[in-house]
Amino acid sequence: MKKIKVLLILLAGFVISSCKNEFSEELPPVTLPLDKAITNEKVLNTAVNGLYGLYQTSGGDGTLNSYGALLPTLEELLGDNAFVALVNSNRFSTTRDPNLTFYTQNNNDISTLWNTLYVIIANANFVLSYEGKITDDPNTPGTPQNLFGQAYTIRAMAYSTLVSLFSDNFNGSNADIGVPLPLEFKPATNLPRSSVKNVYDQIFSDLTNASSRIGNKNGNKKLNGVAVDMLFSRYYLATKNYVKADEYAQKVLDNSDYVLLSSSDIADYFSVAGETNKETIFQVDYNPLDLPGSNDAITATWSSTGRYKQNFATQTFFSKLGVNDVRRGTWYRDTGYVLTLSDNPKPIDVMKYTTIDRDVVVIRKTEAVFNQLEALYYTNASDALLKLNTWVKINRNPDYVYEGIGIDLLKEILMQKDLEMFLEGFRYSDLKRNGINFKNSQTQVELTTSKVQFKSFPVPQSELNTNNLLSQYPGY
């Protein structure tokens, strides 16, 4: 895949960087050229730290951008509950076009996401090529086995994201059109698309390898066994094995090392002080030594405290919060700056990320609540309804009562998930996975399961130009 090859060459001197040498320290970036062999555990530790560095939004020009900003932003703006305001920087502005002009093979954000995820995969492949060759060093924290387990998890996450966005659902249309599946570090190699099933089989294999190696004691700035369990629950939701999805969600809920976010901790959870909350399983590390650029941080376009102050939630979304919901007025506000905007209805300010050095949450324990509810909807809907009412009433809104059944219950489960996990990387994919059509009340953007834009993102034209084995998704 030539595009990946070019990126790797350009990044060779600095792409594997690290913010910490110990499992909990924050240190200046350390570099490891890609052509430098991993000869011992200390170098391996630096290389794995560098994989996490690739999750960050690059501080220069945003050429690397995924879990730290771009992915959670797109998951909301491409769904039904968020929008770009009329006055904007032109970033993401096509997401508000009812003609769906965002979904083109020349879209820079789609290209950035594709390239970043494959850079992550290529670097993970490089690290994994040394498995079985590194002995344990008693003077280096952790073990080689743990470090390789992290690399397997990182690769599984990247493939999970790629196949969910650049292919149709598991057992959906065009089952043979998955994504390219490089598993070795061979940057000069072009590959065709693998099948959707083969990609999910590889995700399962990587998570299985990770679970037997990784352990549970890496802290919340690195992945661990609990994160693997959560990723398994996501995997089983995607592959429609709802019994197993429920089982793995329950494993996370039963883990005593993490504590579900209480209503009393809502207000401070997304502050810098909230980074140590035991709700968080994994977050992308940002600190004063390696901050993203002001144009590309998640704070750049979200909230009235950001640079561009342009991305907001809808009034329809806000209306789902009861007057006594603890998230109303803390995470979501209908006061202040948004009242000065010309949009009608007025936007809702999303106040989760308001400082550039707050780590970006990728996996937290409360997700398991909603993964389980979604699984139960398909296996025991009455139990799902009972658990939904209990969780929301006790933990977020004391006045909450819901009695809907059928598809309305599933929509309510997913709406409550978005009320809780807005801007954390789920909404568009949740709706797509469950085949739920929607219309954005603010922009009138509408997606249905018959539209190609709700089946798959287009592959970037730049990638098609350099890889003649790669086919575009039908319909683009």
Side-chain angles (χ1 to χ4, degrees), residues 84 338 458 470:
V84 176
V338 292
L470 190 60

Side-chain angles (χ1 to χ4, degrees), residues 423-436:
L423 199 52
E424 297 180 48
F426 297 104
R427 185 59 175 175
Y428 172 88
S429 292
D430 283 349
L431 295 171
K432 174 186 171 181
R433 182 178 64 253
N434 288 283
I436 296 177

Side-chain angles (χ1 to χ4, degrees), residues 334-346:
D334 62 348
T335 58
Y337 172 78
V338 292
L339 298 179
T340 70
L341 298 176
S342 59
D343 300 81
N344 184 25
K346 297 296 185 185

Side-chain angles (χ1 to χ4, degrees), residues 93-114:
S93 60
T94 56
T95 62
R96 62 174 293 127
D97 183 0
N99 295 315
L100 305 179
T101 55
F102 172 85
Y103 299 90
T104 71
Q105 53 264 46
N106 294 312
N107 182 285
N108 287 333
D109 293 315
I110 290 175
S111 180
T112 295
L113 188 58
W114 171 279

Side-chain angles (χ1 to χ4, degrees), residues 4 46 123 144 210 331 333 365 377:
I4 298 172
T46 299
N123 281 269
W331 290 354
R333 300 177 185 173
K365 187 168 185 174
Y377 166 77

